[in-house]
Each structure stands twice: as C-alpha cells, then as structure tokens.
Amino acid sequence: MEITPAHYALLSAALFIIGVVGVLVRRNIIIIFMSIELILNAVNINLVANARHLENLVGQVFVVFVIAVAAAEAAVGLGILLAFFRNKETVNIDEMNVMRW
Amino acid sequence: MDLIWLIPLLPGIGAALNGLLGVRYFSKRVAAGVACVTMGGALLLSIGAFYQLLGAEHREHVVTVAQWIPPIPLATASGEIGAFEVPWAFRLDPLSGMMILIVTGIGFLIHLYSVAYMDHESRGAYARFFCYLNLFCFFMLMLVLGSTFLVMFVGWEGVGLCSYLLIGFWYHKQSASDAGKKAFIVNRVGDWGFMLGIFLIFFTFGTLDFRAVAEAAAEMPVEVGGFGVLSAICLLLFVGAVGKSAQIPLHIWLPDAMEGPTPVSALIHAATMVTAGVYMVGRNAVLFSHAPMVMQVVAWVGVLTALLAATIGLVQTDIKKVLAYSTVSQLGYMFLATGVGAFGAAAFHLMTHAFFKALLFLGSGSVIHAMNDEQDLRRMGNMRLYMPVTFITMFVGSLAIAGVPPFSGFFSKDEILYRTYLNNKLLWGLAVVTAGMTAFYMFRLIFMTFFGEYRGPSWGHQEGEDHAEAHAAADDGHDADAQGHAWHGPHESPGLMTGPLWMLAVGASVAGLVGIPAAFGFRNLIEPFLEPSFTAGAAHEATEHAESHLLEWGLMGFSVLIAIAGIALAYHFYVRRPERSEQLAKHWAGAHRWLTNKYYVDELYGATAIKGTIGSARGLWTVDRHVVDGAVNGAGWLTRACAWVSHVFDKYLVDGMFNLLAWVCTEGSYVFRRVQTGLIQNYAVATLFGVFAFVTMYLIARYVG
C-alpha cells in the first residue's frame, strides 16, 4: 500500500488533536509540556511530508527551526517550572492560579 | 440818549454788588444805599433821556451796545435764508420812554419805602432783598428797552425769575415758597406761547427786530376774514401776555403772589412786571392790528378777566388780596383797550394804574406794618385816627382807581370806556359794570380799614384793660413779638414810608392830566405822543375821532355816576349799616361762597391740570416700574432660567453620559474579571474555541458566501 500525503496529514492531525486534548485536560504540567511537544511534532510531520510531496526543501529547513525553538521553549519552561516547584512544591496546574485578579 | 444802555445796567451793578458782597459784608445802611443810589442814577438817566426824546425830531433812537448772537443762517418761510442775528440793542421811543420813567420812578420810590419797610429783617436778608429788587429793575428795564424780541425775552424771563425769588422771599414760610413756585410754573405756560410766537416771527419775517417786523407786517394784508400767520403769531404772543399779566385763565398766580413782601407786590405785581404783557402787546401793535380776530379774543379775555376779578374782589377779606384782584381786573381793562385797538389808552391806563396801584399797595403795606403784620380787613377799622397820612394818600389812590375826576384813573379809564363804546356796546356794558364794582370794592377796603370801630387786637397801652386780655391778644399769632418788637398799637409809618406815599399820591392825582380828553377843550398829549410806537413807518394815521363831544360827555358823566354809586353803596354797607353786608352775604350764601372761593378755579386746575400731571406721572411710573423694569427684570429672569436649564442639561445629561459610561465600565468589570481565572487551561480552551470560530468563519466565507 502506497503511503500518500493524505496518510501523513491524518497522522499529523491525530497527533495534533492528542496534543491539544492533552494540554487541555491534563493537570500535571510536565505532561502538558510533553503534549505541547506532540503538537509541535505533528506540525513537523506535516511540514516534512508536504516538503517531500512538493519537492521543496524550505519545509524541511523550517522543521529544523521548529525543533530548535521547541528545545529553547522546553528549556525556559522547565526553568520556570523548577522555580515554581521550589516555591509551591507542586506541579498541579490547577494550583498555579496566582496570575489573576 | 446814547447812554440808555446804562439805565438797565446801573441797577444790575447794584444787584451784583449787593448779591456778591452785600449779603456777607454790607451793613443794612450800605446795602440800602447801594440799591437806592443805583436806582436813583437810573431814574436821572431816564429823565434825561426822556427829555432829549421830547426834543428830538425823530422820536426813535436805537443804541447797539454789542453783538450778542453773530449772524447764523436759518431758513425762513419765504424760502430765503435769513440771518439769525441778535445785537444787544436798546430802543428808546415814546412807549419805552414812558415805561422806563414808570419803572425807574416808581422803582426808586419803592426802594426808598423798602428801606423802612424791610427794617425788621436780618442784615443778610436785607441785602438779599435789595439785590433781588435791583435785579428785578435791571431785567424790567431790559424788557422795556430791548430792541429785539430776544432781548425782550431775556428781560421777560429775568423778571419772572425775580418775581419767583421775591414772592418766596420768606422761603421758610410754606405758603410763600408754594406761591413762588405757582407763579413761576403758571408763567411758564405763558412763556411757552411767547417763545413759539418768537420762533414763528423769525420764521415768517427772518428778523427779530421790532421795527423791521412791524414794517414787514404793515406790508401784509389785514387778516379780516381768516386766521393767517399773523393771527397765529399774535395769538401765541397773547398767550405769553396772558401768563405774565395774569389774565384768565392764567390769573391764578397773582393773588397768591401776595405772599411776598408788600413793596414787592407794589413794584412787581402791580406797577411794572404784570404790565409787561400789555407793554408787549402794545409794542407789537402793528401785528395785532393786522389780526382782527385775535383782537376780539384779546378784548373778550380782557373784559371777562376785569369782570370776574372784580367780582372776586368784592368779597375778599385780605387787604392785599383785594388789591391783587383789583390789579388783575385793571390789567383786564388794559387788554380790553388793546383789544379794541386803543393802544394809546391801554398805555395811558398802564401808567396811571402804575401810580395809583403802587400807592394803594404801599399804603396797604403801611397799614400792615402798623398793625403788626395783620392783613385781615375784619380786624382793622378806624385806622384814620392812627395813621392820617396813610389814610389820605390811600383815599386819593382809591378815588383814582374808582374813576372820580380829576384823579388820574378817571381819564385813562374813561378813554378806554369811550373807545370800547365805539367798538362794541356789549364790551362797554361789561366794562362799566366792572367800573362800578371797582369803586365798590375799593371803598369797601377804605371803609373797613379806616372807618368804623377799631376791631383789631388790643395792646398794652390801652386804658382800662386788664393784663390777661393783653396777653391773650399778644399770643394771638403775632410772631413779631417774639422777635423783640413790643407792639404799641397802630402807629403812623416813618417818613421814609410816608414820603413815597405822598409822591405817589401826587402822581396818582395829576398823572391823568397828560391825557385829558379833547372834549374838555385841552389837547390830549399822551396818545399822539405814543402813536409812533404803535404804527409802522413815519406815516401817522389821523387819530381824530369824528364822534361828537356830546357822546363823550355823556359817557363820561355816566361812568362818574356809576363810580359814585359804587362808592355810595360801599358807604351804606360798611359805614352806615355794617350789619347789612353780612345779611347780604347770608342771603346770597351760594354766590358768596363761589366768590370767596374765587370761582373754584384753583380747585378746577387742581383737579384737572395738577391731578392730571400727577396722575400721568404716576401712570408713567407704573409703566416704568412694571413694563420697563419688568422687561429688564424679565430678561434677567429669563437668563437665569436659561442658565438653570443649561445647568440641568449639563449636570444630568452631559455629566450623566460620562458617569453612565464609567458606571457601565465599573459594573461590567465585575462580570468580566471572572474570565481571568489565572488558570492556563481556561485560556487555552478559549484560544482553541477562538481558532475554531475563526476557521469556521473562514470556511463559511470561502465556500458558502
């Protein structure tokens, strides 16, 4: 069975939805970070598949940028998370509600 | 004759000296001296000028002292531009010559008389009195000597002013100051007519010079049937004369003017100022003889005034009021004379009247002086025992006014009656009735004052009198006692007062001789002498009357009979049977009341003119208060109301809008701040649904729209 761009699109969409749902419903902030990684990687799959399909390397170059930004984001996010944990001793997102009125 | 301008100026200087320095610094003797010397100088100058006038070929002399108003171009009725030019010019001709002799002569005598009469006054008031008296002579001489209407008008207003000042001389007395105001205001009515007349004269003739106007008027046709411009001029001038000479309907001020000192009544309100109206009409004889309709008016006003004033005079009890009504009545005679065209007779009567009326007033002043300021005839009596000189001179004056020959009044009054008879029998009848009344009321005055029993207050020296009564009498309203003059009963006046009385008595006796009617076989001197003043140009009209001397003799005899009848009647009622007069007054109570109240003319004017003026003033005040003030207040109220509306609008609408916005924001923020939960997942959901929404909209727009 030949793998068509539609298959890549479906895989990418599935991963994206799993990531979004994970961000929305999970309480552990580490899991949420991981779900965000899932969303980014779903986008990456989409970009690579279409770059291949369209025979344009710009998509693959863009994926490298996305991976670099995701690494930076994970580093900053984990830094904030560590600082928070040292103050509140929790990683439950429901208790992270100090930024409100 | 070139010095005639000095004649008015001398009393003017006297007035200035007394007015500016005298009131403060002069002693009584100096103040009186200044006044009498200046008047004496004016008298001497007048006599000299008159003597020269008699000798002159052409009996008219005009002296121009200075330019007053330089020529001003003004439009006139003829379409030409007239030069409105008024010099200070004085005219000496027979009429003004006679007038200056009267004014300075009688004025001088009255000045002498006043020296003694006013002696009770304080030093300042004394100088003030002589200042006013001199000022009056200044203006009066300017009035008679003025060569143009405007110079005459200056004198005319000036004498009115002095009249006001002198009537109100005792200004602390309410009645005196009221009388002064009344005289002044009533005279304004007349002056209004005189001024309009002057305006119309300039508009018609383009000049104000008497001679030029007379000559221009002589060229114009006599307005027999109609009422033309000359008639209008004459009527307006006559209104002025009516005011000044106290004729009906403006006669009301003269009796009240008796509030002034008696020499003033004699000089101003009998001899000179009040005759200014007659003089003015005589001065404009040419104009008046061209307006026969107005002449009729003049004659009728004159005769009615004479008659009504005489009837009022019959019942007055104030000695000066009797004389005042007598003056009004005699002035009526003069106007009657001018009205029938006998200008010479009018001027003649003016002269004789000046003598005998000044005499009578000064005599009454002497009586009043002797009686310690008592003026009521009913409180006098038998005075001839106490003051023989006053009695004799006043008796002469009364004979003169009653028209008993050969005293002066007889000739002048008879001339008027004769000329009236030739003109209009009805006027003559009324005038003769008046003559009878004149004789009656004058002798009523004489008999009540000088005959009968003494009815006045008693005094300390009287024998067989107890002291309580004397005290009561002294308290009986005699203020002079309070001034420190103990009154010792009626006494003859000092020589300075009796001297002028003697001189005037001589004048009143013989002044008539210059006008003896031709019927006596003498030449009538005064009328041909005055004739040039009453005609235009040199052409003398023949004044010889073709009437038979028999008629004149008959009329003369008749009027003498009437006069004697009047005197006899007065003798009957007031000497032989004094109680009869009171019975008569009771019997005719209604008529008597009308007469004592002077026909209620004052009340009529009070109810109409004065109430009307006050009413309209009140009306205007109400209009002012409610309409004008109301408009202003209304505008103010409206502004405030608008401001209030604007304020409400601002406060509730404009401010309200902003406050509402703020309120909505405040209230809205309570709802919307709930959105900011601080929970990241809520934000994420919102973001997601936002993305869904936008994508949905995009898709719909792309594929459906």
Side-chain angles (χ1 to χ4, degrees), chain A residues 23 26-27 93 96 100-101, chain B residues 673 676-678 680-681:
Chain A
V23 167
R26 298 308 294 254
R27 291 290 177 273
I93 200 154
M96 293 186 186
R100 61 175 199 153
W101 53 275
Chain B
R673 72 182 177 189
Q676 199 179 3
T677 54
I680 193 107
Q681 284 174 328

Side-chain angles (χ1 to χ4, degrees), chain B residues 45-338:
Chain B
L45 275 171
S46 304
I47 292 172
F50 192 73
Y51 184 71
Q52 286 182 4
L53 184 73
L54 283 179
E57 182 70 21
H58 184 58
R59 285 178 175 166
E60 186 178 0
H61 193 76
V62 177
V63 178
T64 303
V65 179
Q67 186 80 335
W68 176 17
I69 298 176
I72 302 167
L74 274 181
T76 61
S78 59
E80 292 170 18
I81 303 295
F84 182 72
E85 180 182 11
V86 183
W88 282 113
F90 297 108
R91 163 185 303 275
L92 187 66
D93 64 2
L95 184 60
S96 63
M98 187 191 86
M99 288 300 289
I100 56 171
L101 280 188
I102 294 172
V103 174
T104 54
I106 294 179
F108 180 64
L109 291 178
I110 288 173
H111 270 69
L112 285 182
Y113 180 91
S114 308
V115 171
Y117 188 85
M118 299 304 284
D119 203 40
H120 294 326
E121 297 299 315
S122 68
R123 195 188 55 78
Y126 198 70
R128 187 162 61 88
F129 179 79
F130 278 105
C131 167
Y132 291 165
L133 214 54
N134 263 4
L135 192 66
F136 168 77
C137 291
F138 168 67
F139 280 124
M140 188 69 205
L141 289 165
M142 186 176 280
L143 192 163
V144 296
L145 280 174
S147 182
T148 69
F149 279 96
L150 216 56
V151 176
M152 185 191 207
F153 188 68
V154 170
W156 186 275
E157 291 298 311
V159 292
L161 166 73
C162 294
S163 165
Y164 163 73
L165 290 173
L166 283 165
I167 294 170
F169 181 72
W170 288 312
Y171 51 81
H172 44 78
K173 216 164 94 187
Q174 180 67 35
S175 58
S177 70
D178 283 350
K181 277 184 279 186
K182 184 172 175 183
F184 203 68
I185 291 167
V186 172
N187 264 305
R188 294 278 77 68
V189 179
D191 294 346
W192 163 81
F194 190 25
M195 280 185 73
L196 288 185
I198 292 175
F199 297 157
L200 195 54
I201 284 169
F202 182 79
F203 188 63
T204 312
F205 299 111
T207 174
L208 286 179
D209 186 74
F210 285 130
R211 177 52 64 192
V213 168
E215 266 158 24
E219 306 278 304
M220 294 168 81
V222 179
E223 291 169 351
V224 179
F227 188 86
V229 66
L230 285 179
S231 300
I233 289 173
C234 290
L235 199 61
L236 288 170
L237 291 180
F238 183 60
V239 169
V242 161
K244 197 53 105 193
S245 294
Q247 298 296 290
I248 286 173
L250 300 180
H251 63 286
I252 50 166
W253 67 269
L254 188 54
D256 285 28
M258 296 303 129
E259 290 287 344
T262 308
V264 171
S265 309
L267 179 61
I268 301 184
H269 304 122
T272 52
M273 184 188 87
V274 289
T275 61
V278 181
Y279 167 77
M280 189 258 277
V281 173
R283 175 56 82 200
N284 296 303
V286 179
L287 287 175
F288 275 87
S289 43
H290 278 68
M293 225 152 112
V294 180
M295 293 284 269
Q296 283 296 309
V297 173
V298 173
W300 276 103
V301 167
V303 79
L304 286 178
T305 308
L307 186 64
L308 293 181
T311 54
I312 298 173
L314 292 178
V315 300
Q316 293 300 310
T317 52
D318 183 318
I319 186 167
K320 286 179 75 181
K321 285 272 165 74
V322 175
L323 291 175
Y325 279 106
S326 158
T327 306
V328 174
S329 173
Q330 297 300 308
L331 291 166
Y333 263 115
M334 295 176 212
F335 277 109
L336 170 64
T338 53

Side-chain angles (χ1 to χ4, degrees), chain B residues 333-571:
Chain B
Y333 263 115
M334 295 176 212
F335 277 109
L336 170 64
T338 53
V340 298
F343 295 104
F348 183 30
H349 194 58
L350 192 166
M351 182 188 75
T352 57
H353 173 256
F355 279 111
F356 59 67
K357 191 50 67 64
L359 168 62
L360 287 169
F361 264 114
L362 293 188
S364 77
S366 177
V367 172
I368 293 166
H369 200 65
M371 292 295 291
N372 209 5
D373 296 336
E374 178 60 65
Q375 300 195 3
D376 196 330
L377 285 172
R378 287 166 302 190
R379 296 172 65 93
M380 297 176 181
N382 214 12
M383 301 289 287
R384 71 180 189 280
L385 293 187
Y386 304 109
M387 35 200 330
V389 177
T390 308
F391 166 62
I392 292 169
T393 50
M394 271 191 89
F395 196 74
V396 169
S398 301
L399 286 176
I401 191 175
V404 174
F407 296 99
S408 59
F410 165 71
F411 297 107
S412 56
K413 187 181 284 186
D414 207 65
E415 181 69 15
I416 292 175
L417 290 176
Y418 172 60
R419 296 292 297 269
T420 310
Y421 183 80
L422 294 182
N423 185 285
N424 187 331
K425 304 283 186 292
L426 182 56
L427 288 174
W428 176 80
L430 293 174
V432 166
V433 171
T434 309
M437 288 187 193
T438 308
F440 178 79
Y441 68 67
M442 280 317 299
F443 276 85
R444 167 177 176 268
L445 185 152
I446 291 289
F447 292 141
M448 283 182 86
T449 312
F450 293 103
F451 289 81
E453 284 171 24
Y454 178 74
R455 298 180 297 275
S458 49
W459 63 94
H461 290 285
Q462 211 164 27
E463 289 170 4
E465 182 191 7
D466 71 30
H467 280 272
E469 199 185 332
H471 203 73
D475 284 347
D476 197 11
H478 290 288
D479 304 345
D481 285 332
Q483 292 168 3
H485 295 284
W487 185 57
H488 302 301
H491 53 84
E492 184 57 276
S493 303
L496 262 177
M497 282 165 74
T498 51
L501 286 178
W502 279 121
M503 283 185 251
L504 285 170
V506 171
S509 313
V510 302
L513 299 180
V514 296
I516 297 177
F520 279 108
F522 296 100
R523 276 195 61 216
N524 183 335
L525 294 174
I526 189 160
E527 292 197 23
F529 171 69
L530 289 171
E531 200 58 41
S533 292
F534 300 134
T535 51
H540 287 209
E541 291 166 31
T543 51
E544 285 301 314
H545 305 301
E547 301 294 328
S548 71
H549 287 168
L550 199 63
L551 175 65
E552 208 172 340
W553 277 105
L555 289 174
M556 231 180 272
F558 186 64
S559 66
V560 171
L561 268 181
I562 289 279
I564 289 173
I567 296 170
L569 210 60
Y571 184 71

